[in-house]
Amino acid sequence: MTAEERRNLLAFQSYVTKILDPTYILSYMAPWFKEDELQCIQAEKNNKGAIEAASLFLKFLLELQEEGWFRGFLDALHHAGYSGLYEAIESWDFQKIEKLEEYRLTLRRLQPEFKTSVHPDNILPDISECLINQECEEIKQICSSKGPMAGAEKMAECLLRSDKENWPKTLKLALEKEENKFSELWIVDKGSKDVETKDLEDEDMKTSEVQIVYKEEPDCQNLSQNSCPPSEVSHSHSQIKPRNYQLELTLPANQGKNTIICAPTGCGKTFVSLLICEHHLQKFPQGQKGKVVFFAIQLPVYEQQKSVFSNYFERRGYNVSGISGETSENVSLQQIVENNDIIILTPQILVNSLKSGTIPSLSVFTLMIFDECHNTSKHHPYNMIMFNYLDQKLGGSSDPLPQIIGLTASVGVGDAKTTAEAMDYICKLCASLDISVVATVKDNLEELEDIVYKPQKFFRKVESRTTDRFKCIISQLMREIESLAKSIFGKLGTITLENLSEIQNRNFGTQKYEQWIVAVQKKCTVLQMPDKDEESRICKALFLYTSHLRKFNDALIINEHARMKDALDYLKDFFSNVRSAGFDEIEQDLTRRFEEKLQELESISMDPSNENPKLKDLCFILQEEYHLNPETRTILFVKTRALVDALKKWIEENPKLSFLKPGILTGRGKTNQTIGMTLPAQKCALDEFRTNGDNKILIATSVADEGIDIAQCNLVILYEYVGNVIKMIQTRGRGRAKGSKCFLLTSNADVIQKEKINIYKEKMMNDSILKLQTLDEKVFKEKVHRIQIHEKFIRDSQGKAKPVLDKKNKKLLCRKCKAFACYTADIRVVEECHHTVIGDAFRECFVSKLHPKAKKFGNFEKKAKIFCARENCRHDWGIHVKYKTFEIPVIKIESFVVEDIATGDQTLYAKWRDFHFEKLPFNPAEISK
């Protein structure tokens, strides 16, 4: 080892001690260290922790004189799995590790919420590549012996030491896959594909866009629309004769008209789309070919439709393929489109490809089918695709456009109060999709009603408890915690708990209160204070307080709709987990407060007079319906997964109802205490309900209200569960058996009123569609065209609105050490998106080092990386390039703080496009001067 390498190791030792747990590499270093030194390092880890152990390890390491020990150290890092640290020390370039520092700070801040929200067993398989193998085993062991909260604490500790540059993104994807609420706080905004112009220094970053799904979804292709597997569905589709009402729905589409097919859930709209698709592909003359794209928003529906279309069309000699957000990384959409006749997509895939130019225009398709087309509004991916279509149509392009088909059970009416307003709403949807006909069943209604039975709807107002001592005690505890949270802001003056969120009038035990907690936690992640230690202390305390408030809020919701006993059990489980984890001073205080009230809560929850009257009503309805028809099959819809578990326990423990043998169906989303269902578990629950006569009731969250078809179900109970008109029609559509009923049980008169409004809106929607169908087609097309022109004008105007430029000169300071770098007046823009600084003064502010991946592209040649000149900082500022004949620095705004010279206010920007200062173009003459 040279003297320079020894100096470097000393210089970078703070990075090494932050990351390395030396006990994981001691076995590989045994040939170099004495036995007593190895024991000392192990003892230091046990007594003082990994950082102190790493410092001692480095001290012994730097004292070694034997030949080859430095290489031995690198090999030990490599074998133990410290690939990031290995790479950094080998090249003496710690920039990748330096970039992780902001994520470490954020995770430290979020640690209290992380340990109450994340169940390590659920995400460990997806993030294990970011950890050392030994760490993974330790996390599993702690989960098993001390519980999930202690395991999550260990996992956070390991992530804080991770040297893998992709761990923040990997964690984000794992959380989103599990639909974990913590993902809303864990923001990884780097690498999104919608960057308008790519900075040179980001050129080597691989990016992937995460598609966001807005509702709880089943993770199973068999859950949608049919009770038999897709293969059987498509086999039966290829053999069955279409019904007359299905042929009626295909008529306008088969005439080449852009059509919305609006027909009830369960009537076979998928089969209608197969018939339209087949007719479309057959109409092309010899030498020409059609190309169809079918869009499905939700992954399980995508999986099912891909299977159905493949089985139906491949036997007819057509090629079918598909890409979803899950598979998009591995496949080229361009090739899939070129090589197939029918392509099934989740819509974001096409949005991305149109944006990047991979798919140059929608003219490559001849037919586009939009499943659940009522979603075509605002910034939904469907609307993004149709903006592209309408720009091409209204821009006078001569290229042919594809035919459009939309499928939906309900077009909806938005906020319409009258039929005229509802007609306007539907016309706007038609304009968004360029529709000329709304097809509904009219001539074959009797046949349709034989197939799709509309259940009777009953409203039942149920009573809540008149007095609720449990709620009083828990609410008092929540008020105390809010006071504690407010008190930590005492010294801050302007910042208070109240102004961290705009949500007002929050009541304990409501969804609104949950939203307030989320809003406060999001604000807390970006809270900036001059004293960083104080900032860290306040944020940690805030997260602990709000995490406990969330659990108390959950318990109040369970208490409101189920038994007190279940709500109390939920809290006891939570505090038991808290005790098994870190258990710091704040947690000890909050646990003590809860335990002081525990005896009284136990006594209240066991008192028969506190039984929930809502449950008596629910019990009565179930007993009555099963007395009338012992073969009744029920789906009971509830709002939350915690309620699913509570009501299952109640039915099982109630001697009058235990014969129902309840099954449950929830989505994949998981929090620490409430585990979602895996794909096999969902399949199993559904199969059990369909085939096992003993299993008479299925308790479900919103996962079952769209896309699951259980023909035997003849009783649907909505327990404090209501949504918009579209959700209502689809939920009620789940009760498919003849003679089926749908009950809405609620203690809130407003909820019954809302549901009655939904029924009125459904009638208004049907009346509006009938009126629009009586219009002359030419008149309707003109009406739609006028809306399209108006909407495009608004869209274009918004697109052209330019931000006001700030012409005042400002300072750029190093984001890490706040050293002065340059003035905005000295910044010049090269080729519209790269930023350089002119003048000799700036050259004194940075140092450079040869770029590890020097390469040439366009007019640029990467030569070196540039860093803050301060020795104890060396923050990455960007790169040095050769541009044509000029040697210039190219800086990235995320490395700096922008300071207003007059006020001293400091602002952070993630992208140059967000910083609206007067940008002057690069002028070679200024350099030559």
Side-chain angles (χ1 to χ4, degrees):
M1 183 187 189
T2 65
E4 187 191 352
E5 284 169 330
R6 200 180 287 274
R7 273 199 308 276
N8 283 342
L9 199 52
L10 263 172
F12 290 113
Q13 76 176 43
S14 64
Y15 290 110
V16 180
T17 54
K18 271 183 199 170
I19 288 164
L20 179 64
D21 182 334
T23 59
Y24 297 152
I25 66 167
L26 286 185
S27 59
Y28 302 109
M29 293 301 293
W32 308 102
F33 283 4
K34 296 171 190 157
E35 185 59 37
D36 62 331
E37 288 175 332
L38 296 173
Q39 286 173 4
C40 277
I41 293 165
Q42 185 67 61
E44 194 79 354
K45 159 81 185 287
N46 297 343
N47 297 328
K48 296 184 181 174
I51 290 179
E52 282 77 5
S55 298
L56 184 61
F57 171 85
L58 278 179
K59 177 178 175 291
F60 291 150
L61 190 71
L62 291 164
E63 287 169 358
L64 289 172
Q65 299 300 324
E66 290 90 335
E67 192 68 36
W69 66 264
F70 182 66
R71 188 71 248 169
F73 171 50
L74 284 178
D75 290 345
L77 291 176
H78 180 67
H79 289 307
Y82 283 107
S83 52
L85 198 52
Y86 171 87
E87 188 187 312
I89 293 175
E90 195 173 47
S91 62
W92 297 116
D93 183 355
F94 282 78
Q95 294 310 311
K96 286 179 183 174
I97 285 172
E98 170 66 30
K99 280 181 180 173
L100 293 172
E101 189 55 35
E102 63 180 294
Y103 295 110
R104 289 196 192 99
L105 288 171
T106 305
L107 184 55
R108 274 194 202 96
R109 182 175 283 196
L110 297 174
Q111 222 166 340
E113 182 63 18
F114 184 87
K115 73 176 183 184
T116 59
S117 303
V118 175
H119 197 300
D121 287 345
N122 298 330
I123 66 167
L124 192 56
D126 293 311
I127 66 162
S128 56
E129 65 191 47
C130 301
L131 304 172
I132 305 295
N133 289 340
Q134 213 169 317
E135 289 176 328
C136 295
E137 292 309 313
E138 286 175 14
I139 291 165
K140 286 179 196 169
Q141 198 179 341
I142 291 171
C143 280
S144 168
S145 61
K146 294 186 175 179
M149 229 182 259
E153 208 162 47
K154 176 67 179 174
M155 180 178 273
E157 188 188 302
C158 295
L159 285 169
L160 288 169
R161 302 186 74 81
S162 177
D163 61 346
K164 312 300 182 288
E165 66 173 323
N166 64 335
W167 77 256
K169 186 74 176 172
T170 305
L171 176 61
K172 177 75 171 173
L173 293 170
L175 292 166
E176 285 181 343
K177 182 180 168 188
E178 296 301 321
E179 295 172 20
N180 188 295
K181 284 181 180 174
F182 187 78
S183 68
E184 293 175 27
L185 297 172
W186 187 247
I187 296 160
V188 183
D189 59 354
K190 295 191 168 92
S192 59
K193 278 189 179 168
D194 60 351
V195 179
E196 292 153 22
T197 54
K198 199 156 78 163
D199 287 348
L200 288 173
E201 57 274 11
D202 292 332
E203 193 242 347
D204 298 314
M205 280 183 70
K206 286 183 180 159
T207 62
S208 64
E209 185 153 281
V210 179
Q211 194 174 341
I212 296 170
V213 177
Y214 292 99
K215 74 188 285 298
E216 192 176 24
E217 63 177 24
D219 188 9
C220 166
Q221 64 189 40
N222 295 359
L223 300 191
S224 295
Q225 296 206 329
N226 287 283
S227 54
C228 51
S231 55
E232 292 172 33
V233 173
S234 41
H235 280 290
S236 59
H237 276 156
S238 62
Q239 293 151 14
I240 60 172
K241 185 170 175 277
R243 296 190 172 96
N244 290 327
Y245 74 79
Q246 290 173 324
L247 290 171
E248 182 186 343
L249 288 170
T250 67
L251 285 173
N254 286 349
Q255 291 163 7
K257 294 173 182 175
N258 287 359
T259 309
I260 284 179
I261 293 167
C262 184
T265 304
C267 74
K269 288 191 290 293
T270 297
F271 186 38
V272 171
S273 68
L274 291 173
L275 296 172
I276 292 168
C277 193
E278 187 173 18
H279 180 275
H280 178 83
L281 291 169
Q282 286 173 349
K283 76 177 186 183
F284 284 88
Q286 196 70 35
Q288 289 183 28
K289 283 181 86 173
K291 198 167 289 288
V292 179
V293 60
F294 183 104
F295 299 110
I297 301 167
Q298 294 196 39
L299 194 60
V301 179
Y302 158 84
E303 292 287 359
Q304 189 212 16
Q305 303 299 34
K306 187 178 163 195
S307 183
V308 168
F309 272 77
S310 297
N311 285 313
Y312 186 87
F313 282 104
E314 283 175 355
R315 69 188 63 213
R316 288 164 169 74
Y318 295 103
N319 294 325
V320 181
S321 189
I323 307 182
S324 71
E326 305 275 303
T327 58
S328 59
E329 293 293 304
N330 321 320
V331 205
S332 153
L333 179 59
Q334 198 175 5
Q335 286 179 335
I336 294 280
V337 170
E338 280 171 17
N339 300 333
N340 290 278
D341 305 295
I342 300 163
I343 301 99
I344 318 293
L345 295 178
T346 46
Q348 188 64 43
I349 303 295
L350 185 59
V351 174
N352 295 346
S353 298
L354 288 166
K355 205 180 275 184
S356 67
T358 315
I359 299 295
S361 143
L362 292 173
S363 298
V364 299
F365 304 112
T366 56
L367 173 65
M368 298 200 299
I369 303 174
F370 293 82
D371 192 33
E372 308 294 355
C373 69
H374 51 265
N375 289 292
T376 314
S377 65
K378 298 179 182 168
H379 294 289
H380 191 279
Y382 278 0
N383 226 11
M384 296 296 151
I385 291 166
M386 286 310 299
F387 288 165
N388 193 294
Y389 173 104
L390 292 167
D391 285 349
Q392 194 173 327
K393 175 192 170 182
L394 301 172
S397 166
S398 57
D399 293 338
L401 282 164
Q403 183 185 355
I404 307 285
I405 304 295
L407 307 173
T408 184
S410 165
V411 289
V413 294
D415 298 324
K417 305 281 189 301
T418 64
T419 306
E421 287 175 3
M423 285 170 72
D424 287 343
Y425 179 88
I426 296 166
C427 284
K428 198 166 176 183
L429 177 67
C430 290
S432 298
L433 284 159
D434 198 34
I435 295 300
S436 51
V437 178
V438 179
T440 55
V441 177
K442 291 157 84 174
D443 300 339
N444 298 280
L445 258 180
E446 257 182 64
E447 182 193 40
L448 173 64
E449 283 165 3
D450 276 348
I451 303 300
V452 182
Y453 180 82
K454 210 173 193 179
Q456 288 174 275
K457 189 88 186 233
F458 298 95
F459 301 103
R460 191 68 63 91
K461 170 93 165 57
V462 293
E463 296 307 317
S464 291
R465 296 181 183 91
T466 46
T467 57
D468 192 339
R469 183 73 189 127
F470 183 93
K471 185 174 182 178
C472 291
I473 294 170
I474 298 300
S475 298
Q476 181 54 37
L477 284 170
M478 291 174 80
R479 278 191 285 275
E480 287 173 20
I481 297 173
E482 281 196 358
S483 296
L484 291 168
K486 285 172 185 170
S487 69
I488 62 172
F489 288 100
K491 302 168 192 171
L492 298 181
T494 54
I495 305 173
T496 66
L497 185 64
E498 295 307 318
N499 67 21
L500 273 185
S501 164
E502 293 167 9
I503 296 173
Q504 300 300 320
N505 308 321
R506 59 186 189 276
N507 294 318
F508 298 140
T510 60
Q511 295 295 114
K512 198 168 187 182
Y513 195 83
E514 165 78 18
Q515 289 163 6
W516 175 77
I517 288 169
V518 171
V520 168
Q521 290 185 339
K522 279 185 176 173
K523 279 284 172 65
C524 194
T525 59
V526 294
L527 188 66
Q528 296 281 334
M529 293 174 63
D531 182 337
K532 292 299 160 191
D533 289 338
E534 182 74 351
E535 176 183 297
S536 176
R537 184 190 68 77
I538 283 178
C539 288
K540 187 181 177 192
L542 255 186
F543 275 108
L544 279 173
Y545 290 136
T546 50
S547 297
H548 281 67
L549 285 169
R550 170 180 274 143
K551 295 301 173 187
F552 282 127
N553 193 58
D554 289 346
L556 286 180
I557 291 172
I558 296 169
N559 174 60
E560 171 70 22
H561 305 309
R563 296 178 299 182
M564 277 182 190
K565 171 183 175 295
D566 301 313
L568 186 56
D569 286 348
Y570 180 83
L571 288 175
K572 281 157 71 176
D573 285 350
F574 169 68
F575 280 102
S576 165
N577 276 321
V578 169
R579 202 177 264 288
S580 305
F583 210 45
D584 72 2
E585 278 179 36
I586 290 176
E587 288 169 312
Q588 288 170 31
D589 176 46
L590 297 180
T591 304
R592 179 186 55 75
R593 288 168 190 267
F594 171 69
E595 287 177 347
E596 280 173 3
K597 304 288 183 187
L598 187 54
Q599 198 173 346
E600 189 181 354
L601 290 168
E602 293 271 19
S603 161
I604 293 165
S605 71
M606 301 310 287
D607 183 344
S609 68
N610 287 322
E611 190 183 336
N612 196 332
K614 286 186 190 180
L615 294 180
K616 286 183 187 171
D617 286 329
L618 178 57
C619 181
F620 177 75
I621 287 171
L622 287 168
Q623 281 183 290
E624 190 175 41
E625 290 302 317
Y626 279 91
H627 174 71
L628 291 170
N629 177 7
E631 299 306 309
T632 291
R633 318 277 285 169
T634 307
I635 298 188
L636 172 62
F637 282 104
V638 297
K639 275 192 293 198
T640 67
R641 286 186 285 272
L643 267 179
V644 169
D645 296 330
L647 289 172
K648 180 175 187 283
K649 276 169 71 180
W650 168 69
I651 290 173
E652 287 170 340
E653 293 171 17
N654 186 327
K656 295 173 184 174
L657 299 176
S658 55
F659 73 94
L660 295 175
K661 295 190 168 43
I664 65 171
L665 186 66
T666 65
R668 294 177 301 148
K670 302 177 179 77
T671 61
N672 194 309
Q673 283 182 287
T674 317
I675 310 298
M677 290 181 83
T678 60
L679 160 59
Q682 285 180 332
K683 280 182 173 174
C684 191
L686 271 176
D687 291 343
E688 190 76 5
F689 186 66
R690 287 179 183 131
T691 58
N692 183 351
D694 293 340
N695 192 203
K696 294 177 187 296
I697 187 167
L698 193 64
I699 310 171
T701 53
S702 63
V703 70
D705 77 5
E706 194 169 319
I708 297 177
D709 204 352
I710 298 152
Q712 302 96 319
C713 170
N714 63 320
L715 178 62
V716 174
I717 299 177
L718 308 176
Y719 186 62
E720 297 284 9
Y721 181 97
V722 68
N724 57 30
V725 63
I726 291 168
K727 177 167 271 196
M728 187 200 80
I729 292 168
Q730 288 171 331
T731 307
R732 206 175 54 202
R734 294 298 132 219
R736 293 279 304 288
K738 284 206 171 181
S740 59
K741 298 175 183 176
C742 181
F743 282 90
L744 170 65
L745 267 72
T746 178
S747 56
N748 186 342
D750 292 345
V751 169
I752 290 176
Q753 188 57 32
K754 186 176 179 184
E755 194 73 350
K756 286 181 175 172
I757 288 168
N758 279 341
I759 289 174
Y760 169 70
K761 283 187 169 184
E762 184 185 355
K763 182 181 180 303
M764 190 163 65
M765 178 189 82
N766 292 331
D767 292 346
S768 303
I769 290 172
L770 279 171
K771 282 194 175 180
L772 289 171
Q773 286 171 332
T774 60
L775 288 179
D776 177 77
E777 201 174 307
K778 194 177 172 195
V779 172
F780 180 67
K781 274 186 162 178
E782 282 171 6
K783 187 177 173 74
V784 162
H785 187 66
R786 281 198 301 276
I787 295 170
Q788 287 175 340
I789 289 169
H790 177 66
E791 291 291 315
K792 179 167 167 54
F793 173 75
I794 291 170
R795 210 159 57 239
D796 291 348
S797 306
Q798 287 170 341
K800 286 170 190 164
K802 287 189 177 174
V804 179
L805 292 184
D806 186 344
K807 296 191 176 182
K808 292 177 189 165
N809 195 10
K810 292 183 164 44
K811 289 179 185 177
L812 260 65
L813 313 178
C814 173
R815 189 174 288 201
K816 187 176 172 187
C817 71
K818 302 289 172 81
F820 172 77
C822 66
Y823 290 103
T824 50
D826 298 325
I827 295 173
R828 299 291 180 268
V829 183
V830 188
E831 294 195 357
E832 296 186 359
C833 59
H834 306 298
H835 297 73
T836 188
V837 182
I838 58 169
D840 293 335
F842 182 63
R843 295 180 186 278
E844 303 298 316
C845 298
F846 68 82
V847 293
S848 59
K849 183 183 171 190
L850 286 177
H851 201 292
K853 293 180 183 172
K855 60 167 80 167
K856 192 173 191 299
F857 42 91
N859 292 317
F860 296 89
E861 185 182 352
K862 278 188 192 178
K863 303 286 260 185
K865 289 179 81 75
I866 62 171
F867 306 97
C868 174
R870 278 200 181 169
E871 268 189 44
N872 60 349
C873 177
R874 295 291 194 258
H875 187 47
D876 179 5
W877 282 6
I879 56 174
H880 215 273
V881 302
K882 185 174 184 183
Y883 172 63
K884 297 181 179 174
T885 58
F886 303 99
E887 299 270 350
I888 56 170
V890 172
I891 60 171
K892 47 187 180 182
I893 191 62
E894 70 203 60
S895 298
F896 300 92
V897 175
V898 177
E899 184 176 274
D900 187 298
I901 296 171
T903 64
D905 289 346
Q906 295 184 351
T907 312
L908 306 177
Y909 295 100
K911 300 286 173 193
W912 281 107
R913 66 164 181 263
D914 302 327
F915 181 19
H916 305 302
F917 68 104
E918 192 171 21
K919 297 172 185 175
L920 300 173
F922 175 71
N923 181 356
E926 290 184 286
I927 299 283
S928 42
K929 279 179 197 171

